[in-house]
Amino acid sequence: MAVKLEVFTSQTCPYCPMAVEVAEEAKKELGDKVDFEHYDVAEHMDLVQKYQIMSVPTIIIDGEVAFVGAPSAQELISKLEQKIN
């Protein structure tokens, strides 16, 4: 079963594009082991409330906040590999 990776961003955030780029890189490296979704907080308030997101970018792995802010690709891949193995 794939690990669920969710990235929450806003259009005005200067750090959010980097978080999306890192998530896409992790998806490319790990392939089908990761199910990646990207959400704009303005359009998904139900999920923002569910995860109690207070700032962006926020990265959720399997329903738990893993990062607030943009991690390096290696940090994210490492965290995902821990969930996969």
Side-chain angles (χ1 to χ4, degrees):
M1 188 165 142
V3 173
K4 188 168 185 179
L5 171 63
E6 298 168 283
V7 178
F8 289 84
T9 63
S10 76
Q11 294 182 9
T12 58
C13 166
Y15 305 104
C16 289
M18 185 170 33
V20 172
E21 188 177 306
V22 165
E24 288 172 345
E25 194 174 322
K27 169 66 177 163
K28 186 185 294 183
E29 185 165 321
L30 298 172
D32 291 342
K33 296 176 185 173
V34 175
D35 179 20
F36 168 56
E37 294 288 337
H38 173 211
Y39 299 106
D40 185 311
V41 292
E43 297 171 10
H44 296 278
M45 288 306 296
D46 56 330
L47 294 174
V48 168
Q49 291 173 342
K50 174 183 173 182
Y51 294 127
Q52 300 179 348
I53 294 171
M54 299 299 214
S55 62
V56 289
T58 294
I59 297 177
I60 309 283
I61 298 174
D62 278 348
E64 296 178 6
V65 174
F67 297 96
V68 176
S72 71
Q74 198 49 53
E75 287 175 313
L76 179 57
I77 290 167
S78 251
K79 193 84 140 178
L80 288 165
E81 286 176 335
Q82 289 173 10
K83 291 283 188 176
I84 291 166
N85 296 328

